[in-house]
Amino acid sequence: MKYRSAPEAPAFLSPIAKLCSLRWNAASGVVEVIDQTRLPHTLRWCELQDLDSYCHAISTMQVRGAPLIGITAAFGLAQALSMDPSTEHLQAASARLLATRPTAVNLRWALESVAAAVRELDPADRGEVALATAQQLRARDIASCSRIGDHGLALLQALECAGPLNIMTHCNAGWLATVEWGTALAPVYKAHAAGIPVHVWVSETRPRNQGMNLTAWELQRAGVPCTVVADNSCGQLMRRGAVDCVLVGSDRTAANGDVCNKIGTYLKALAARANDIPFYVALPESTIDWHCASGDDIPIEERDQAEVLTVTGLDHAGRPQALALAAGDTLAHNPAFDVTPAELVTALVTEHGSFEASAAGLGRLRAQIFSSSPT
Ligand code: MRU
């Protein structure tokens, strides 16, 4: 079957199911985020009141996902400037937020966007302008992800497959990782809304299980058929012909098209290439680091070994518990991201269209960005 039909203004999700990951509470003047460390068991919003709570939310991964980290940091800087708009505080608050997570470049991009908007202003005006800039970045993220969905949908429609389209994804690149829509999941949601039968293989994503805890939860809420699989089973599924394409996000994309994403992405790209399966990476412009010549220049976050050596779930009474998996003196190494070389990427799907993952492809994207507004 070839999916060619153009979608009729997709409804995305029913009003009841539709959520966003970060919202501005105009009444209280405070940002609220979903605490993603509680999912999938508890849907809990928490208020980010001050710079400490913003830094805590990002570093402990109450909010995570490259685009959402950036938007959260933008609001965090605005909040900090509303308390103290001095240039010294602008620099200190930016530095604190920037240090929360090293790999996702959206963090730096968002902080620089806010700083650039306020730097030359009278300090008395900085708080208000910073907040307006953060709101604009949030709105821009939603629009960009929706366009990524449209461009990714076109790629999905071009795939030949006999039954439901089987898409494999890794980690969480859905609306929980952005504000709405997501990056890799945006085309999935648009395909589902257009009546295209899709099924998603959700790679569990050890050690923090973002696939099982977040992606499966998101897809189930939206009524998209999905199945969680252990990370190690993905190669076998591809070899068996059960995967029509792999679709993942990116935390930082280098100028040569190398892509840095959640640890385990590289292995999927290798398996996809070995089995002649398209491997698509969906990302907004804000994820491209034009200063990184290649993936070798991208800093890889190393997280606590406890994430590998323990697993967290609910006990028999429904209380969250961390369980030790290994002997007490076991050492673990926990790099959170890996680099997939550009030659393994079939296409980069952006809000500006789809591009070859190469220096030439990114050059064309850059020329398009500077010559026109997003299409
Ligand atoms: O460590 P996380 O959960 O922040 O990692 C998130 C990812 O790796 C996503 O795939 C990436 O941010 C792209 S999301 C739109």
Side-chain angles (χ1 to χ4, degrees), residues 61 64 101 103 170-172 205-211 248-251 259-268 301 303 307 334-340:
M61 296 175 64
R64 30 65 55 203
R101 291 199 72 190
T103 300
H170 188 56
C171 195
N172 172 261
T205 319
R206 277 283 289 152
R208 289 186 67 102
N209 294 322
Q210 291 97 324
V248 297
S250 170
D251 286 82
V259 170
C260 185
N261 191 51
K262 180 55 54 190
I263 193 81
T265 302
Y266 175 44
L267 280 176
K268 284 180 180 59
E301 175 180 6
R303 295 190 61 87
E307 291 181 351
N334 187 14
F337 299 95
D338 62 25
V339 172
T340 298

Side-chain angles (χ1 to χ4, degrees), residues 147-153 155 183 187 247 280-284 347-355:
R147 287 194 196 99
I148 289 170
D150 295 334
H151 293 301
L153 175 61
L155 293 177
T183 55
L247 187 46
Y280 298 121
V281 182
L283 58 129
L348 300 172
V349 188
T350 77
E351 67 269 51
H352 306 282
S354 295
F355 294 84

Side-chain angles (χ1 to χ4, degrees), residues 231-299:
D231 295 327
N232 287 342
S233 62
C234 293
Q236 172 65 7
L237 282 170
M238 290 191 220
R239 190 155 187 271
R240 215 184 68 192
V243 179
D244 296 304
C245 73
V246 181
L247 187 46
V248 297
S250 170
D251 286 82
R252 196 184 292 224
T253 306
N256 70 344
D258 290 352
V259 170
C260 185
N261 191 51
K262 180 55 54 190
I263 193 81
T265 302
Y266 175 44
L267 280 176
K268 284 180 180 59
L270 286 171
R273 173 57 53 91
N275 291 284
D276 206 17
I277 293 168
F279 185 91
Y280 298 121
V281 182
L283 58 129
E285 178 194 331
S286 56
T287 300
I288 302 170
D289 188 346
W290 302 102
H291 304 293
C292 267
S294 83
D296 294 340
D297 303 330
I298 298 175

Side-chain angles (χ1 to χ4, degrees), residues 19-270:
L19 281 174
C20 64
S21 59
L22 178 152
R23 65 190 182 198
W24 170 251
N25 185 331
S28 60
V30 161
V31 163
E32 299 169 345
V33 294
I34 293 178
D35 180 353
Q36 299 191 25
T37 63
R38 302 293 187 111
L39 291 174
H41 306 297
T42 309
L43 177 56
R44 196 188 82 149
W45 288 88
C46 56
E47 294 186 339
L48 301 182
Q49 303 268 12
D50 52 24
L51 183 59
D52 283 347
S53 59
Y54 276 95
C55 292
H56 176 80
I58 299 172
S59 60
T60 63
M61 296 175 64
Q62 286 179 315
V63 297
R64 30 65 55 203
L68 181 60
I69 290 170
I71 303 301
T72 306
F75 279 100
L77 187 53
Q79 206 285 335
L81 289 172
S82 74
M83 303 305 292
D84 175 355
S86 68
T87 300
E88 296 70 34
H89 194 55
L90 168 63
Q91 287 166 350
S94 294
R96 269 196 70 193
L97 286 159
L98 189 61
T100 51
R101 291 199 72 190
T103 300
V105 76
N106 308 59
L107 179 57
R108 189 182 76 199
W109 171 84
L111 290 170
E112 282 177 359
S113 300
V114 174
V118 303
R119 198 174 282 121
E120 304 301 330
L121 298 180
D122 186 306
D125 299 328
R126 285 179 176 166
E128 199 177 318
V129 172
L131 179 58
T133 306
Q135 301 275 25
Q136 284 161 12
L137 295 179
R138 181 183 182 279
R140 176 177 166 175
D141 185 73
I142 295 169
S144 295
C145 288
S146 178
R147 287 194 196 99
I148 289 170
D150 295 334
H151 293 301
L153 175 61
L155 293 177
L156 297 183
Q157 286 174 314
L159 291 172
E160 302 271 358
C161 64
L165 193 55
N166 280 295
I167 300 163
M168 178 173 282
T169 193
H170 188 56
C171 195
N172 172 261
W175 62 263
L176 284 166
T178 61
V179 179
E180 291 181 8
W181 291 107
T183 55
L185 292 193
V188 174
Y189 289 131
K190 296 233 173 185
H192 180 66
I196 296 171
V198 289
H199 165 262
V200 183
W201 294 112
V202 178
S203 178
E204 65 176 339
T205 319
R206 277 283 289 152
R208 289 186 67 102
N209 294 322
Q210 291 97 324
M212 182 160 60
N213 292 346
L214 307 177
T215 299
W217 180 81
E218 262 197 42
L219 291 170
Q220 284 161 3
R221 281 180 61 87
V224 178
C226 65
T227 308
V228 173
V229 290
D231 295 327
N232 287 342
S233 62
C234 293
Q236 172 65 7
L237 282 170
M238 290 191 220
R239 190 155 187 271
R240 215 184 68 192
V243 179
D244 296 304
C245 73
V246 181
L247 187 46
V248 297
S250 170
D251 286 82
R252 196 184 292 224
T253 306
N256 70 344
D258 290 352
V259 170
C260 185
N261 191 51
K262 180 55 54 190
I263 193 81
T265 302
Y266 175 44
L267 280 176
K268 284 180 180 59
L270 286 171

